[in-house]
Short mmCIF file of all heavy atoms in Angstrom, two decimals:
data_model
loop_
_atom_site.label_atom_id
_atom_site.label_comp_id
_atom_site.label_asym_id
_atom_site.label_seq_id
_atom_site.Cartn_x
_atom_site.Cartn_y
_atom_site.Cartn_z
N MET X 252 0.79 -1.06 0.05
CA MET X 252 -0.06 -0.03 -0.07
C MET X 252 0.83 1.16 -0.02
O MET X 252 1.98 1.32 0.63
CB MET X 252 -0.90 -0.04 1.20
CG MET X 252 -1.75 1.26 1.30
SD MET X 252 -3.01 1.61 2.35
CE MET X 252 -3.55 0.26 3.29
N MET X 253 0.44 2.25 -0.70
CA MET X 253 1.18 3.55 -0.88
C MET X 253 1.08 4.23 0.71
O MET X 253 0.18 4.25 1.24
CB MET X 253 0.44 4.36 -1.91
CG MET X 253 1.25 5.58 -2.32
SD MET X 253 0.42 6.50 -3.67
CE MET X 253 -0.11 5.09 -4.67
N CYS X 254 2.26 4.87 0.83
CA CYS X 254 2.31 5.74 2.15
C CYS X 254 1.49 7.05 2.02
O CYS X 254 1.55 7.63 1.03
CB CYS X 254 3.77 6.07 2.35
SG CYS X 254 3.93 7.10 3.77
N ALA X 255 0.72 7.29 2.97
CA ALA X 255 -0.29 8.37 3.11
C ALA X 255 0.69 9.59 2.99
O ALA X 255 0.29 10.72 2.46
CB ALA X 255 -1.17 8.47 4.14
N CYS X 256 1.82 9.77 3.62
CA CYS X 256 2.65 10.83 3.67
C CYS X 256 3.19 11.15 2.26
O CYS X 256 3.25 12.36 1.93
CB CYS X 256 3.81 10.70 4.72
SG CYS X 256 4.83 9.24 4.38
N TRP X 257 3.37 10.09 1.56
CA TRP X 257 3.88 10.33 0.12
C TRP X 257 2.66 11.19 -0.68
O TRP X 257 2.97 11.98 -1.36
CB TRP X 257 4.24 9.04 -0.59
CG TRP X 257 4.56 9.31 -2.10
CD1 TRP X 257 5.78 9.55 -2.53
CD2 TRP X 257 3.60 9.05 -3.13
NE1 TRP X 257 5.65 9.74 -3.85
CE2 TRP X 257 4.47 9.45 -4.32
CE3 TRP X 257 2.39 8.66 -3.30
CZ2 TRP X 257 3.96 9.30 -5.56
CZ3 TRP X 257 1.80 8.58 -4.49
CH2 TRP X 257 2.59 8.85 -5.69
N ARG X 258 1.49 10.61 -0.51
CA ARG X 258 0.40 11.34 -1.26
C ARG X 258 0.10 12.73 -0.64
O ARG X 258 -0.21 13.57 -1.39
CB ARG X 258 -0.90 10.34 -1.03
CG ARG X 258 -2.03 10.87 -1.85
CD ARG X 258 -1.71 10.99 -3.31
NE ARG X 258 -1.56 9.79 -3.93
CZ ARG X 258 -1.41 9.51 -5.22
NH1 ARG X 258 -1.33 10.64 -5.99
NH2 ARG X 258 -1.28 8.41 -5.79
N THR X 259 0.40 13.03 0.57
CA THR X 259 0.25 14.38 1.04
C THR X 259 1.29 15.34 0.40
O THR X 259 0.99 16.30 -0.06
CB THR X 259 0.47 14.39 2.61
OG1 THR X 259 -0.62 13.59 3.21
CG2 THR X 259 0.44 15.88 3.19
N SER X 260 2.42 14.76 0.10
CA SER X 260 3.45 15.48 -0.64
C SER X 260 3.07 15.80 -1.97
O SER X 260 3.49 16.73 -2.57
CB SER X 260 4.80 14.97 -0.45
OG SER X 260 4.97 13.65 -1.29
N ARG X 261 2.36 14.83 -2.57
CA ARG X 261 1.74 14.93 -3.93
C ARG X 261 0.76 16.17 -4.04
O ARG X 261 0.41 16.60 -5.08
CB ARG X 261 0.96 13.65 -4.33
CG ARG X 261 1.98 12.53 -4.55
CD ARG X 261 2.57 12.38 -5.85
NE ARG X 261 1.47 12.35 -6.94
CZ ARG X 261 1.74 12.76 -8.19
NH1 ARG X 261 2.87 13.12 -8.59
NH2 ARG X 261 0.58 12.70 -9.07
N SER X 262 0.33 16.73 -2.84
CA SER X 262 -0.56 17.80 -2.97
C SER X 262 0.12 18.97 -3.54
O SER X 262 -0.66 19.91 -4.16
CB SER X 262 -0.95 18.23 -1.58
OG SER X 262 -1.72 17.11 -0.83
N SER X 263 1.40 19.14 -3.62
CA SER X 263 2.10 20.16 -4.34
C SER X 263 2.68 19.76 -5.59
O SER X 263 3.22 20.63 -6.27
CB SER X 263 3.19 20.77 -3.31
OG SER X 263 4.12 19.75 -3.08
N THR X 264 2.52 18.55 -5.97
CA THR X 264 3.20 18.11 -7.34
C THR X 264 2.10 17.55 -8.21
O THR X 264 2.42 17.46 -9.43
CB THR X 264 4.37 17.19 -7.06
OG1 THR X 264 3.86 15.92 -6.39
CG2 THR X 264 5.44 17.77 -6.32
N ASP X 265 1.05 16.90 -7.73
CA ASP X 265 0.14 16.30 -8.57
C ASP X 265 -0.55 17.51 -9.50
O ASP X 265 -1.17 18.40 -9.06
CB ASP X 265 -1.07 15.78 -7.79
CG ASP X 265 -2.00 14.92 -8.48
OD1 ASP X 265 -2.59 15.33 -9.63
OD2 ASP X 265 -2.49 13.89 -7.96
N GLU X 266 -0.45 17.31 -10.82
CA GLU X 266 -0.82 18.23 -11.71
C GLU X 266 -2.41 18.66 -11.57
O GLU X 266 -2.77 19.77 -11.95
CB GLU X 266 -0.46 17.87 -13.12
CG GLU X 266 -1.27 16.63 -13.78
CD GLU X 266 -0.84 16.42 -15.07
OE1 GLU X 266 0.43 16.39 -15.35
OE2 GLU X 266 -1.63 15.86 -15.89
N ARG X 267 -3.13 17.67 -11.01
CA ARG X 267 -4.65 18.03 -10.86
C ARG X 267 -4.77 18.91 -9.64
O ARG X 267 -5.89 19.59 -9.61
CB ARG X 267 -5.44 16.73 -10.62
CG ARG X 267 -5.50 15.93 -11.91
CD ARG X 267 -5.99 14.53 -11.52
NE ARG X 267 -5.09 13.87 -10.44
CZ ARG X 267 -5.56 12.93 -9.65
NH1 ARG X 267 -6.68 12.45 -9.71
NH2 ARG X 267 -4.63 12.40 -8.65
N PHE X 268 -4.00 18.99 -8.71
CA PHE X 268 -4.08 19.76 -7.55
C PHE X 268 -3.05 20.81 -7.17
O PHE X 268 -3.38 21.83 -6.32
CB PHE X 268 -4.27 18.86 -6.34
CG PHE X 268 -5.40 17.98 -6.38
CD1 PHE X 268 -5.41 16.63 -6.73
CD2 PHE X 268 -6.65 18.44 -6.00
CE1 PHE X 268 -6.42 15.77 -6.87
CE2 PHE X 268 -7.73 17.57 -6.07
CZ PHE X 268 -7.66 16.12 -6.54
N ARG X 269 -1.82 20.73 -7.82
CA ARG X 269 -0.79 21.61 -7.39
C ARG X 269 -1.05 23.03 -7.47
O ARG X 269 -0.66 23.78 -6.46
CB ARG X 269 0.46 21.26 -8.03
CG ARG X 269 0.48 21.49 -9.49
CD ARG X 269 1.89 21.10 -10.22
NE ARG X 269 1.64 21.26 -11.59
CZ ARG X 269 2.11 20.52 -12.51
NH1 ARG X 269 2.96 19.60 -12.13
NH2 ARG X 269 2.06 20.73 -13.72
N ASP X 270 -1.59 23.58 -8.52
CA ASP X 270 -1.93 24.99 -8.69
C ASP X 270 -2.97 25.46 -7.60
O ASP X 270 -2.92 26.50 -6.98
CB ASP X 270 -2.42 25.36 -10.08
CG ASP X 270 -1.17 25.12 -11.10
OD1 ASP X 270 -0.12 25.15 -10.65
OD2 ASP X 270 -1.45 24.93 -12.35
N ARG X 271 -4.03 24.71 -7.50
CA ARG X 271 -5.17 25.08 -6.57
C ARG X 271 -4.63 25.06 -5.17
O ARG X 271 -4.99 25.86 -4.42
CB ARG X 271 -6.18 24.04 -6.75
CG ARG X 271 -7.43 24.27 -5.91
CD ARG X 271 -8.58 23.20 -6.23
NE ARG X 271 -8.26 22.16 -7.23
CZ ARG X 271 -8.98 21.23 -7.67
NH1 ARG X 271 -10.32 21.29 -7.28
NH2 ARG X 271 -8.67 20.44 -8.59
N ASN X 272 -3.82 23.95 -4.76
CA ASN X 272 -3.25 23.97 -3.48
C ASN X 272 -2.35 25.06 -3.27
O ASN X 272 -2.26 25.60 -2.08
CB ASN X 272 -2.75 22.56 -3.29
CG ASN X 272 -3.69 21.49 -2.96
OD1 ASN X 272 -4.86 21.78 -2.60
ND2 ASN X 272 -3.39 20.28 -3.26
N ALA X 273 -1.52 25.27 -4.16
CA ALA X 273 -0.43 26.46 -3.98
C ALA X 273 -1.26 27.81 -3.88
O ALA X 273 -0.87 28.69 -3.03
CB ALA X 273 0.55 26.53 -5.30
N ALA X 274 -2.26 27.93 -4.63
CA ALA X 274 -3.03 29.30 -4.50
C ALA X 274 -3.66 29.39 -3.02
O ALA X 274 -3.75 30.41 -2.47
CB ALA X 274 -4.03 29.37 -5.51
N TYR X 275 -4.10 28.15 -2.56
CA TYR X 275 -4.69 28.16 -1.16
C TYR X 275 -3.69 28.56 -0.15
O TYR X 275 -3.98 29.45 0.71
CB TYR X 275 -5.35 26.83 -0.81
CG TYR X 275 -5.81 26.77 0.62
CD1 TYR X 275 -6.99 27.26 0.89
CD2 TYR X 275 -4.95 26.35 1.51
CE1 TYR X 275 -7.43 27.41 2.25
CE2 TYR X 275 -5.35 26.40 3.00
CZ TYR X 275 -6.70 26.88 3.19
OH TYR X 275 -7.05 26.95 4.61
N LEU X 276 -2.46 28.06 -0.21
CA LEU X 276 -1.32 28.32 0.77
C LEU X 276 -1.07 29.89 0.65
O LEU X 276 -0.83 30.51 1.63
CB LEU X 276 -0.21 27.44 0.37
CG LEU X 276 -0.35 26.01 0.73
CD1 LEU X 276 1.00 25.31 0.31
CD2 LEU X 276 -0.67 25.83 2.09
N ARG X 277 -0.91 30.49 -0.58
CA ARG X 277 -0.61 31.80 -0.72
C ARG X 277 -1.66 32.64 -0.09
O ARG X 277 -1.55 33.61 0.61
CB ARG X 277 -0.53 32.20 -2.12
CG ARG X 277 0.95 31.83 -2.80
CD ARG X 277 1.11 32.47 -4.11
NE ARG X 277 0.14 32.10 -5.15
CZ ARG X 277 0.07 31.04 -5.78
NH1 ARG X 277 1.12 30.18 -5.65
NH2 ARG X 277 -0.92 30.72 -6.74
N GLU X 278 -2.91 32.35 -0.36
CA GLU X 278 -4.11 33.11 0.18
C GLU X 278 -4.23 32.98 1.65
O GLU X 278 -4.42 33.96 2.38
CB GLU X 278 -5.33 32.67 -0.51
CG GLU X 278 -6.61 33.42 -0.07
CD GLU X 278 -7.93 33.03 -0.82
OE1 GLU X 278 -7.82 32.80 -2.01
OE2 GLU X 278 -8.80 32.87 -0.03
N ARG X 279 -4.03 31.77 2.16
CA ARG X 279 -4.20 31.59 3.64
C ARG X 279 -3.08 32.00 4.45
O ARG X 279 -3.33 32.44 5.44
CB ARG X 279 -4.50 30.06 3.84
CG ARG X 279 -4.53 29.60 5.27
CD ARG X 279 -5.71 30.06 5.97
NE ARG X 279 -5.79 29.63 7.24
CZ ARG X 279 -5.39 30.17 8.31
NH1 ARG X 279 -4.65 31.30 8.30
NH2 ARG X 279 -5.54 29.65 9.64
N PHE X 280 -1.84 31.72 3.97
CA PHE X 280 -0.68 32.07 4.82
C PHE X 280 0.11 33.20 4.41
O PHE X 280 0.87 33.74 5.17
CB PHE X 280 0.15 30.77 4.97
CG PHE X 280 -0.65 29.62 5.66
CD1 PHE X 280 -0.89 28.45 4.87
CD2 PHE X 280 -0.92 29.69 6.90
CE1 PHE X 280 -1.62 27.62 5.46
CE2 PHE X 280 -1.66 28.50 7.57
CZ PHE X 280 -2.00 27.49 6.82
N GLY X 281 0.01 33.68 3.13
CA GLY X 281 0.55 34.91 2.68
C GLY X 281 2.08 35.05 3.06
O GLY X 281 2.83 34.15 2.67
N ASP X 282 2.46 36.02 3.83
CA ASP X 282 3.88 36.32 4.30
C ASP X 282 4.30 35.72 5.63
O ASP X 282 5.16 36.17 6.24
CB ASP X 282 4.10 37.79 4.18
CG ASP X 282 4.03 38.35 2.85
OD1 ASP X 282 4.24 37.62 1.89
OD2 ASP X 282 3.63 39.57 2.68
N ALA X 283 3.41 34.73 6.10
CA ALA X 283 3.83 34.16 7.42
C ALA X 283 5.14 33.59 7.39
O ALA X 283 5.70 32.96 6.42
CB ALA X 283 2.77 32.96 7.74
N THR X 284 5.96 33.85 8.56
CA THR X 284 7.29 33.27 8.56
C THR X 284 7.32 31.79 8.76
O THR X 284 8.23 31.16 8.40
CB THR X 284 7.95 33.95 9.89
OG1 THR X 284 7.20 33.72 10.93
CG2 THR X 284 8.27 35.40 9.68
N SER X 285 6.33 31.20 9.25
CA SER X 285 6.08 29.73 9.26
C SER X 285 4.75 29.33 9.39
O SER X 285 3.76 30.21 9.90
CB SER X 285 7.02 29.10 10.44
OG SER X 285 6.56 29.66 11.60
N TYR X 286 4.27 28.19 9.11
CA TYR X 286 2.91 27.78 9.12
C TYR X 286 2.90 26.14 9.24
O TYR X 286 3.93 25.45 8.78
CB TYR X 286 2.10 28.23 7.97
CG TYR X 286 2.47 27.73 6.67
CD1 TYR X 286 1.93 26.57 6.11
CD2 TYR X 286 3.42 28.49 5.92
CE1 TYR X 286 2.39 26.25 4.91
CE2 TYR X 286 3.74 28.10 4.60
CZ TYR X 286 3.19 26.85 4.02
OH TYR X 286 3.59 26.40 2.87
N SER X 287 1.82 25.58 9.57
CA SER X 287 1.60 24.22 9.56
C SER X 287 0.16 23.84 9.25
O SER X 287 -0.85 24.73 9.45
CB SER X 287 1.90 23.59 10.94
OG SER X 287 1.07 23.92 11.96
N MET X 288 -0.17 22.77 8.66
CA MET X 288 -1.48 22.31 8.35
C MET X 288 -1.56 20.74 8.47
O MET X 288 -0.67 20.07 7.93
CB MET X 288 -1.72 22.71 6.85
CG MET X 288 -3.11 22.52 6.46
SD MET X 288 -3.67 23.26 4.97
CE MET X 288 -2.49 22.79 3.82
N LEU X 289 -2.48 20.40 9.28
CA LEU X 289 -2.80 18.90 9.41
C LEU X 289 -3.94 18.70 8.50
O LEU X 289 -4.94 19.32 8.51
CB LEU X 289 -3.04 18.65 10.95
CG LEU X 289 -3.52 17.28 11.19
CD1 LEU X 289 -2.23 16.28 11.05
CD2 LEU X 289 -4.09 17.22 12.70
N THR X 290 -3.81 17.64 7.76
CA THR X 290 -4.83 17.24 6.71
C THR X 290 -5.22 15.94 6.76
O THR X 290 -4.48 15.02 7.24
CB THR X 290 -4.27 17.56 5.19
OG1 THR X 290 -3.17 16.79 4.94
CG2 THR X 290 -3.84 19.05 4.95
N ARG X 291 -6.49 15.76 6.34
CA ARG X 291 -7.09 14.37 6.23
C ARG X 291 -6.65 13.78 4.80
O ARG X 291 -6.62 14.51 3.82
CB ARG X 291 -8.55 14.53 6.25
CG ARG X 291 -9.20 13.09 6.13
CD ARG X 291 -10.75 13.23 6.20
NE ARG X 291 -11.17 14.30 7.05
CZ ARG X 291 -11.54 13.97 8.32
NH1 ARG X 291 -11.61 12.87 8.81
NH2 ARG X 291 -12.00 15.03 9.19
N VAL X 292 -6.19 12.59 4.84
CA VAL X 292 -5.91 11.89 3.50
C VAL X 292 -6.73 10.73 3.42
O VAL X 292 -6.68 9.77 4.27
CB VAL X 292 -4.43 11.45 3.46
CG1 VAL X 292 -4.09 10.64 2.23
CG2 VAL X 292 -3.49 12.61 3.66
N ARG X 293 -7.54 10.70 2.41
CA ARG X 293 -8.58 9.65 2.06
C ARG X 293 -8.04 8.48 1.53
O ARG X 293 -7.07 8.60 0.59
CB ARG X 293 -9.70 10.22 1.36
CG ARG X 293 -10.99 9.59 1.53
CD ARG X 293 -12.11 10.22 0.68
NE ARG X 293 -11.97 10.07 -0.67
CZ ARG X 293 -11.89 11.07 -1.49
NH1 ARG X 293 -11.89 12.40 -1.18
NH2 ARG X 293 -11.87 10.75 -2.88
N ILE X 294 -8.45 7.19 1.94
CA ILE X 294 -7.95 5.98 1.21
C ILE X 294 -9.20 5.36 0.71
O ILE X 294 -10.28 5.21 1.38
CB ILE X 294 -7.25 5.04 2.26
CG1 ILE X 294 -6.01 5.80 2.84
CG2 ILE X 294 -6.97 3.94 1.55
CD1 ILE X 294 -5.36 5.00 3.93
N GLU X 295 -9.17 5.14 -0.65
CA GLU X 295 -10.30 4.42 -1.24
C GLU X 295 -9.79 3.09 -1.81
O GLU X 295 -9.00 3.01 -2.61
CB GLU X 295 -10.85 5.18 -2.52
CG GLU X 295 -11.47 6.57 -2.04
CD GLU X 295 -12.00 7.37 -3.23
OE1 GLU X 295 -11.99 6.91 -4.49
OE2 GLU X 295 -12.58 8.41 -3.03
N GLY X 296 -10.39 2.02 -1.22
CA GLY X 296 -10.04 0.66 -1.46
C GLY X 296 -8.37 0.65 -0.90
O GLY X 296 -8.24 0.70 0.22
N ARG X 297 -7.56 0.36 -1.83
CA ARG X 297 -6.15 0.34 -1.41
C ARG X 297 -5.40 1.48 -2.02
O ARG X 297 -4.14 1.48 -1.95
CB ARG X 297 -5.54 -1.02 -1.93
CG ARG X 297 -6.13 -2.18 -1.19
CD ARG X 297 -5.62 -3.57 -1.72
NE ARG X 297 -4.21 -3.64 -1.53
CZ ARG X 297 -3.65 -4.11 -0.21
NH1 ARG X 297 -4.40 -4.46 0.75
NH2 ARG X 297 -2.38 -4.09 -0.21
N ALA X 298 -6.04 2.47 -2.50
CA ALA X 298 -5.39 3.64 -3.12
C ALA X 298 -5.50 4.92 -2.30
O ALA X 298 -6.60 5.18 -1.50
CB ALA X 298 -6.01 3.96 -4.38
N VAL X 299 -4.50 5.69 -2.11
CA VAL X 299 -4.51 6.90 -1.35
C VAL X 299 -4.89 7.99 -2.22
O VAL X 299 -4.12 8.15 -3.23
CB VAL X 299 -3.06 7.14 -0.61
CG1 VAL X 299 -3.08 8.35 0.23
CG2 VAL X 299 -2.82 5.82 0.38
N VAL X 300 -5.82 8.90 -1.85
CA VAL X 300 -6.18 9.93 -2.87
C VAL X 300 -5.54 11.27 -2.48
O VAL X 300 -5.43 11.55 -1.25
CB VAL X 300 -7.73 10.17 -2.57
CG1 VAL X 300 -8.29 11.22 -3.52
CG2 VAL X 300 -8.46 8.86 -2.89
N THR X 301 -4.95 11.93 -3.42
CA THR X 301 -4.34 13.27 -3.22
C THR X 301 -5.22 14.22 -2.64
O THR X 301 -6.31 14.45 -3.22
CB THR X 301 -3.81 13.82 -4.59
OG1 THR X 301 -2.77 12.82 -5.16
CG2 THR X 301 -3.03 15.05 -4.28
N PRO X 302 -4.82 14.81 -1.44
CA PRO X 302 -5.88 15.80 -0.81
C PRO X 302 -6.03 17.14 -1.55
O PRO X 302 -4.99 17.64 -2.16
CB PRO X 302 -5.30 16.01 0.58
CG PRO X 302 -3.90 15.53 0.56
CD PRO X 302 -3.77 14.54 -0.61
N ASP X 303 -7.18 17.71 -1.65
CA ASP X 303 -7.54 19.05 -2.16
C ASP X 303 -7.59 20.03 -0.93
O ASP X 303 -8.56 20.02 -0.32
CB ASP X 303 -8.68 18.98 -2.94
CG ASP X 303 -9.11 20.28 -3.51
OD1 ASP X 303 -8.41 21.27 -3.32
OD2 ASP X 303 -10.01 20.36 -4.33
N TRP X 304 -6.62 20.73 -0.72
CA TRP X 304 -6.61 21.64 0.43
C TRP X 304 -7.71 22.82 0.39
O TRP X 304 -7.96 23.34 1.42
CB TRP X 304 -5.20 22.27 0.58
CG TRP X 304 -4.03 21.35 0.98
CD1 TRP X 304 -4.30 19.92 1.40
CD2 TRP X 304 -2.67 21.40 0.75
NE1 TRP X 304 -2.97 19.47 1.63
CE2 TRP X 304 -2.07 20.33 1.21
CE3 TRP X 304 -1.94 22.52 0.38
CZ2 TRP X 304 -0.76 20.07 1.19
CZ3 TRP X 304 -0.57 22.42 0.22
CH2 TRP X 304 0.08 21.18 0.78
N THR X 305 -8.38 22.95 -0.77
CA THR X 305 -9.33 23.97 -0.73
C THR X 305 -10.70 23.47 -0.16
O THR X 305 -11.58 24.29 0.12
CB THR X 305 -9.67 24.30 -2.18
OG1 THR X 305 -10.17 23.31 -2.90
CG2 THR X 305 -8.39 24.95 -2.80
N LEU X 306 -10.74 22.24 0.22
CA LEU X 306 -11.96 21.66 0.84
C LEU X 306 -11.71 21.75 2.35
O LEU X 306 -10.80 21.11 2.91
CB LEU X 306 -12.12 20.17 0.28
CG LEU X 306 -12.29 19.94 -1.04
CD1 LEU X 306 -12.30 18.53 -1.49
CD2 LEU X 306 -13.57 20.66 -1.59
N ASP X 307 -12.81 22.31 2.95
CA ASP X 307 -12.85 22.42 4.47
C ASP X 307 -12.69 21.00 5.21
O ASP X 307 -12.03 20.90 6.11
CB ASP X 307 -14.18 22.99 4.94
CG ASP X 307 -14.10 24.50 4.60
OD1 ASP X 307 -13.12 25.16 4.36
OD2 ASP X 307 -15.25 25.11 4.58
N SER X 308 -13.19 19.99 4.58
CA SER X 308 -13.32 18.66 5.08
C SER X 308 -11.83 18.03 5.13
O SER X 308 -11.71 17.06 5.88
CB SER X 308 -14.36 17.78 4.38
OG SER X 308 -14.06 17.51 3.16
N VAL X 309 -11.02 18.51 4.43
CA VAL X 309 -9.66 18.02 4.29
C VAL X 309 -8.72 18.60 5.25
O VAL X 309 -7.95 17.96 5.89
CB VAL X 309 -9.02 18.17 2.74
CG1 VAL X 309 -7.64 17.85 2.68
CG2 VAL X 309 -9.86 17.29 1.73
N ARG X 310 -8.94 19.80 5.66
CA ARG X 310 -8.14 20.58 6.57
C ARG X 310 -8.56 20.38 8.00
O ARG X 310 -9.73 20.87 8.30
CB ARG X 310 -8.11 22.04 6.17
CG ARG X 310 -7.47 22.27 4.81
CD ARG X 310 -7.37 23.83 4.55
NE ARG X 310 -8.48 24.58 4.95
CZ ARG X 310 -9.57 24.82 4.18
NH1 ARG X 310 -9.79 24.28 3.03
NH2 ARG X 310 -10.51 25.65 4.89
N LEU X 311 -7.80 19.79 8.82
CA LEU X 311 -8.24 19.50 10.21
C LEU X 311 -7.69 20.63 11.16
O LEU X 311 -8.32 20.83 12.10
CB LEU X 311 -7.65 18.15 10.64
CG LEU X 311 -8.13 17.03 9.71
CD1 LEU X 311 -7.36 15.76 10.15
CD2 LEU X 311 -9.62 16.89 9.79
N HIS X 312 -6.45 21.15 10.92
CA HIS X 312 -5.94 22.18 11.75
C HIS X 312 -4.88 23.07 10.90
O HIS X 312 -4.19 22.49 10.05
CB HIS X 312 -5.11 21.56 12.91
CG HIS X 312 -4.48 22.43 13.86
ND1 HIS X 312 -5.09 23.31 14.66
CD2 HIS X 312 -3.22 22.78 13.94
CE1 HIS X 312 -4.31 23.95 15.27
NE2 HIS X 312 -3.07 23.79 14.79
N GLU X 313 -4.89 24.33 11.20
CA GLU X 313 -3.98 25.33 10.55
C GLU X 313 -3.55 26.23 11.50
O GLU X 313 -4.19 26.54 12.50
CB GLU X 313 -4.79 26.02 9.47
CG GLU X 313 -5.25 25.23 8.29
CD GLU X 313 -6.07 26.13 7.26
OE1 GLU X 313 -7.04 26.69 7.72
OE2 GLU X 313 -5.78 26.05 6.12
N TRP X 314 -2.21 26.54 11.45
CA TRP X 314 -1.58 27.51 12.23
C TRP X 314 -0.45 28.26 11.49
O TRP X 314 0.06 27.72 10.58
CB TRP X 314 -0.88 26.76 13.41
CG TRP X 314 0.10 27.70 14.29
CD1 TRP X 314 -0.27 28.44 15.29
CD2 TRP X 314 1.54 27.89 14.09
NE1 TRP X 314 0.79 29.12 15.69
CE2 TRP X 314 1.82 28.93 14.99
CE3 TRP X 314 2.36 27.60 13.04
CZ2 TRP X 314 3.19 29.33 15.11
CZ3 TRP X 314 3.65 27.96 13.15
CH2 TRP X 314 4.08 28.92 14.12
N SER X 315 -0.33 29.51 11.76
CA SER X 315 0.62 30.46 11.26
C SER X 315 1.24 31.35 12.18
O SER X 315 0.59 31.81 13.09
CB SER X 315 0.12 31.16 9.99
OG SER X 315 -0.72 32.04 10.20
N GLU X 316 2.54 31.60 11.99
CA GLU X 316 3.22 32.74 12.71
C GLU X 316 3.13 33.92 11.85
O GLU X 316 3.49 33.92 10.71
CB GLU X 316 4.62 32.28 13.02
CG GLU X 316 5.30 33.20 13.97
CD GLU X 316 6.65 32.62 14.38
OE1 GLU X 316 6.75 31.40 14.89
OE2 GLU X 316 7.65 33.35 14.13
N PRO X 317 2.66 35.14 12.44
CA PRO X 317 2.66 36.26 11.76
C PRO X 317 3.99 36.73 11.16
O PRO X 317 5.11 36.41 11.69
CB PRO X 317 2.09 37.37 12.58
CG PRO X 317 1.88 36.74 13.92
CD PRO X 317 2.37 35.36 13.83
N PRO X 318 4.10 37.48 10.03
CA PRO X 318 5.39 37.90 9.51
C PRO X 318 6.03 38.85 10.46
O PRO X 318 5.50 39.46 11.27
CB PRO X 318 4.94 38.82 8.27
CG PRO X 318 3.53 38.50 7.94
CD PRO X 318 3.03 38.00 9.31
N ARG X 319 7.43 38.89 10.36
CA ARG X 319 8.20 39.72 11.33
C ARG X 319 8.19 41.05 10.80
O ARG X 319 8.19 41.28 9.55
CB ARG X 319 9.63 39.26 11.42
CG ARG X 319 9.68 37.78 12.06
CD ARG X 319 11.21 37.61 12.40
NE ARG X 319 11.26 36.31 13.08
CZ ARG X 319 11.77 35.28 12.59
NH1 ARG X 319 12.22 35.15 11.32
NH2 ARG X 319 11.83 34.15 13.30
N GLU X 320 8.07 42.04 11.64
CA GLU X 320 8.08 43.43 11.23
C GLU X 320 9.39 43.94 11.31
O GLU X 320 10.29 43.55 12.11
CB GLU X 320 7.04 44.25 12.14
CG GLU X 320 5.72 43.69 12.27
CD GLU X 320 4.79 44.76 12.53
OE1 GLU X 320 5.06 45.84 12.36
OE2 GLU X 320 3.53 44.40 12.67
N GLY X 321 9.73 44.89 10.49
CA GLY X 321 10.97 45.55 10.51
C GLY X 321 11.58 45.64 9.22
O GLY X 321 12.30 45.72 8.50
#
């Protein structure tokens, strides 16, 4: 079975999702100095499905540190 962490990394490389997921990160986190996101990775049968970060049901937790001033 494919590793779910590998499929999560595909969120930024899978041609069906990379532009949409990158746009979501830019819009959500902007100039944050650091951020984290915990996501749900769905498994259908024996296949791991690439997550679409624009769906609320996929994002379980988000955090960001504001940009440094100066």
Side-chain angles (χ1 to χ4, degrees):
M252 179 172 353
M253 194 179 314
C254 174
C256 57
W257 177 82
R258 189 51 77 172
T259 299
S260 71
R261 295 270 303 155
S262 299
S263 61
T264 60
D265 186 317
E266 64 185 36
R267 296 169 298 160
F268 296 101
R269 67 180 171 219
D270 294 337
R271 180 179 2 191
N272 286 338
Y275 175 79
L276 292 177
R277 279 190 303 277
E278 182 179 316
R279 171 67 175 90
F280 299 112
D282 294 331
T284 56
S285 60
Y286 64 88
S287 68
M288 185 166 54
L289 177 65
T290 64
R291 180 183 320 268
V292 177
R293 202 172 76 237
I294 300 173
E295 292 182 0
R297 296 182 60 89
V299 180
V300 179
T301 302
D303 178 353
W304 294 340
T305 65
L306 301 175
D307 291 339
S308 62
V309 170
R310 298 182 323 272
L311 303 175
H312 176 77
E313 297 174 307
W314 169 86
S315 64
E316 187 171 308
R319 291 191 178 110
E320 303 214 9

